[in-house]
Amino acid sequence: MLPVISIITLMIISNCFGPENNTNDNMETISLPEPSLEGDISLEKTLKDRRSVRSYSDKTISAGIISQLAWAAQGISDRVNNFRTAPSAGATYPIELYFVVSDGHEPGEGVYRYDPGDHALDRVHSQDMRRDIYQMSLQQEPIIDAPVVLVITGVLERTAQRYGERAERFMYMEAGHVSQNIYLQSTALELGTVAIGAFDDEGIMELMELEDGEYPLYIMPVGHY
Ligand SMILES: Cc1cc2nc3c(=O)[nH]c(=O)nc-3n(C[C@H](O)[C@H](O)[C@H](O)COP(=O)(O)O)c2cc1C
């Protein structure tokens, strides 16, 4: 099925971001506030209330919200073993998570890749790419309506090194786990999101300049109701 399924069926709480030392001249690293481990809503109520939401308000997305979504999706929940909030076959962790942020929302316009080890964001592009992503996703309105768009990708080789051909299905399964965590965290924070699977894989790969062997798996716009 890989490298590309061309077009599938054609059809967060505070202001604590802080720039840190750059690892290279082009990449700014932004530390995220610590995620909260407490919430106001039970898991059972969260499950009951989870729905796909496709329109959003302009209310500001804060550093705390970004932190919480990143942690729910791929955060390290066991520092001894480096295990994460979402399960992974053999703890090979093929999934990467990007935040496409529009102007006026934290940490500022651009595209950021989440670094689970440091619970930080690496800025990989300076511009808001939502309009292009929208064009490559059958012009699905939630992508331009949402202040922040999450893109879930997978680096197949990480898992294939151990599991060979089985890795492809594992990678897709893992994207599902990550997506569900984002849905549930969003619901608990009274944010809306929807898992979008219909997009032009190659177009997104080129636009976001993904590395060879890194595939876009899901797009999740997020915003306040
Ligand atoms: C694999 C997958 C792909 C999906 N792709 C899209 C999509 O491209 N656009 C969209 O609006 N919703 C998409 N959805 C969301 C479904 O339409 C939604 O989950 C379904 O209507 C059930 O509604 P609920 O999520 O509120 O329970 C997708 C869901 C899944 C699981």
Side-chain angles (χ1 to χ4, degrees):
M1 222 182 299
L2 286 170
V4 173
I5 306 165
S6 54
I7 299 181
I8 301 171
T9 56
L10 274 184
M11 346 167 272
I12 328 180
I13 307 172
S14 68
N15 294 304
C16 327
F17 278 126
E20 288 184 344
N21 291 338
N22 297 349
T23 48
N24 66 45
D25 288 345
N26 301 320
M27 203 185 291
E28 183 185 4
T29 298
I30 296 161
S31 59
L32 291 167
E34 283 298 303
S36 168
L37 301 182
E38 309 211 335
D40 298 334
I41 171 171
S42 71
L43 175 59
E44 291 77 8
K45 179 89 164 64
T46 308
L47 285 163
K48 169 148 190 338
D49 288 352
R50 185 210 61 81
R51 281 277 73 81
S52 292
V53 175
R54 296 180 176 83
S55 65
Y56 318 96
S57 77
D58 293 336
K59 194 172 159 191
T60 305
I61 296 293
S62 68
I65 288 173
I66 298 285
S67 167
Q68 209 65 42
L69 291 169
W71 182 81
Q74 277 290 275
I76 296 195
S77 49
D78 174 345
R79 285 271 168 199
V80 175
N81 297 296
N82 275 333
F83 292 156
R84 303 186 186 180
T85 49
S88 174
T92 52
Y93 299 115
I95 300 296
E96 294 284 336
L97 180 67
Y98 296 82
F99 291 83
V100 182
V101 180
S102 58
D103 192 23
H105 301 273
E106 294 184 325
E109 179 176 345
V111 181
Y112 305 83
R113 185 174 49 223
Y114 178 53
D115 173 353
D118 289 342
H119 191 56
L121 296 178
D122 294 327
R123 188 176 178 131
V124 293
H125 298 286
S126 56
Q127 71 276 34
D128 173 7
M129 289 183 169
R130 289 173 309 146
R131 173 70 51 184
D132 294 317
I133 294 174
Y134 159 80
Q135 292 295 355
M136 289 166 192
S137 310
L138 311 178
Q139 302 185 340
Q140 296 193 61
E141 294 288 332
I143 293 172
I144 41 172
D145 195 39
V148 173
V149 174
L150 278 61
V151 180
I152 298 170
T153 71
V155 181
L156 182 61
E157 189 55 25
R158 289 181 197 155
T159 306
Q161 279 177 6
R162 186 177 307 186
Y163 295 109
E165 288 183 3
R166 199 85 181 159
E168 187 179 331
R169 78 160 64 188
F170 288 167
M171 183 177 72
Y172 293 137
M173 290 170 172
E174 294 192 28
H177 295 302
V178 171
S179 172
Q180 182 73 356
N181 282 7
I182 293 167
Y183 261 117
L184 294 176
Q185 181 68 84
S186 297
T187 304
L189 293 173
E190 300 187 339
L191 297 163
T193 190
V194 56
I196 289 183
F199 51 82
D200 175 349
D201 292 3
E202 283 177 335
I204 299 288
M205 288 161 74
E206 273 175 35
L207 173 72
M208 295 186 65
E209 299 177 339
L210 300 182
E211 64 179 75
D212 283 350
E214 180 177 5
Y215 305 101
L217 303 173
Y218 256 146
I219 296 173
M220 299 188 71
V222 178
H224 294 276
Y225 304 133

